[in-house]
Amino acid sequence: MADREKILRYFRAGGDEELAAKLLDLAEGAHRSRKFRVSEFLDPHGCNVAEIIAANFENVKLATSGGFKNAERMKVAFVSEDFFGQPDFGLVCFKVEWDKRYYELSHRDILGAFMGMGCKREILGDIIFIPEGAQFVADKSFTSYIMNNLTQIGSAPVSLTEITEADLLQKEEKVKVISATVAALRLDAVAAAGYGVSRSRMADEIKGQNVKVNWKEAKNAAQPVSEGDIISFRSRGRVEVAEIRGTTKKGRLSITLKRYI
């Protein structure tokens, strides 16, 4: 059995102790039962925490599923090596449709409808838009509640259909490549370049807890970023620090960013 206190101490410094404790409970449950235990939906950072925890158990392996083939939000299953079946991730898949002649809905609108129903973010996986409306994945135990309550998003009446996992479409992301120069690899400067806003506006957004780095809440505007880091700005998509190309003649840093819309 893994050293629980040692693992929690490792995550304490980064503020992930509560999440790590929940995932440790699942890993220990899989170890004791010789079966499997499944988490709620996790973002990529949460999945990384789960991977580290699973690596501390000799006879527990990790499996993941988010329904979509390239899902960002996924459930993880801690699976005992003594279990020879396939873990049940407890996923349900839906298609939601509305009259697009009169209503234009966004990811934020759909997520807001769930919050308005009293649902936690952890029961909901990815949401993607399709020509007819949108598809999303959720926790199967909430199937009836979602079917009975998700009848309107914003002012738009919607119809909901349960679909199979095979019906889920591949997520398509538009990528915009941005070349920029910054005085320093500070979060406010790099994010401002990526999202096309002023540095002072971005500093305010960071202070307002609307910005994350690698799916963790940003510490402050001066937080350094590195090549490969992912910056996310609420309702504005993600920006990847794709390349730090070097220093210009004027002493500024030349960078390449990829903005995923």
Side-chain angles (χ1 to χ4, degrees):
M1 182 73 76
D3 187 333
R4 184 182 181 91
E5 183 51 40
K6 182 179 178 181
I7 295 171
L8 291 178
R9 191 163 58 245
Y10 172 81
F11 287 107
R12 193 169 295 145
D16 292 317
E17 183 179 9
E18 185 178 348
L19 171 61
K22 289 180 180 179
L23 295 174
L24 263 171
D25 288 343
L26 297 176
E28 290 169 352
H31 171 79
R32 286 192 300 268
S33 68
R34 296 185 177 182
K35 294 182 180 178
F36 65 89
R37 295 288 186 272
V38 178
S39 73
E40 298 176 309
F41 282 98
L42 302 173
D43 61 20
H45 172 68
C47 291
N48 289 338
V49 173
E51 286 179 6
I52 294 170
I53 288 173
N56 282 271
F57 288 78
E58 290 184 2
N59 67 333
V60 173
K61 57 186 178 181
L62 197 71
T64 60
S65 179
F68 295 102
K69 290 180 180 178
N70 55 345
E72 181 174 290
R73 294 180 59 79
M74 296 192 289
K75 286 188 171 190
V76 303
F78 294 94
V79 185
S80 168
E81 290 184 349
D82 294 330
F83 179 76
F84 295 103
Q86 292 295 320
D88 179 2
F89 286 93
L91 302 178
V92 62
C93 310
F94 289 105
K95 178 170 71 172
V96 58
E97 298 174 274
W98 58 90
D99 194 330
K100 290 194 168 185
R101 294 174 300 174
Y102 305 110
Y103 303 101
E104 184 176 340
L105 299 181
S106 66
H107 184 282
R108 187 174 185 174
D109 293 325
I110 298 175
L111 186 56
F114 271 89
M115 300 295 110
M117 288 161 49
C119 295
K120 296 190 303 178
R121 184 66 178 94
E122 290 77 13
I123 76 159
L124 188 63
D126 284 358
I127 302 166
I128 72 154
F129 286 83
I130 58 175
E132 312 95 280
Q135 294 179 338
F136 65 88
V137 180
D139 190 305
K140 193 173 185 177
S141 61
F142 289 85
T143 300
S144 296
Y145 186 78
I146 293 170
M147 289 292 292
N148 292 331
N149 289 277
L150 190 62
T151 56
Q152 186 168 319
I153 298 175
S155 57
V158 300
S159 62
L160 200 60
T161 308
E162 186 176 342
I163 59 177
T164 68
E165 200 166 314
D167 294 323
L168 293 174
L169 300 180
Q170 188 82 352
K171 290 176 63 181
E172 291 185 11
E173 291 184 305
K174 296 178 182 177
V175 181
K176 180 180 180 181
V177 178
I178 301 165
S179 292
T181 62
V182 292
L185 293 173
R186 288 170 49 114
L187 175 59
D188 57 352
V190 174
Y195 291 102
V197 301
S198 69
R199 187 167 166 179
S200 60
R201 157 81 187 282
M202 185 53 63
D204 289 340
E205 296 290 352
I206 294 167
K207 189 176 181 180
Q209 300 181 333
N210 292 322
V211 179
K212 293 183 177 182
V213 179
N214 298 328
W215 295 276
K216 293 189 69 174
E217 190 176 292
K219 297 173 183 175
N220 54 61
Q223 179 177 339
V225 295
S226 305
E227 194 169 280
D229 281 350
I230 302 292
I231 302 167
S232 51
F233 178 15
R234 186 170 294 172
S235 302
R236 296 285 297 273
R238 293 175 285 118
V239 166
E240 177 187 350
V241 184
E243 185 182 3
I244 300 169
R245 300 195 303 270
T247 307
T248 68
K249 291 179 180 179
K250 294 184 178 181
R252 292 173 65 84
L253 290 165
S254 180
I255 59 175
T256 300
L257 307 173
K258 290 181 179 179
R259 183 174 174 188
Y260 297 87
I261 304 168

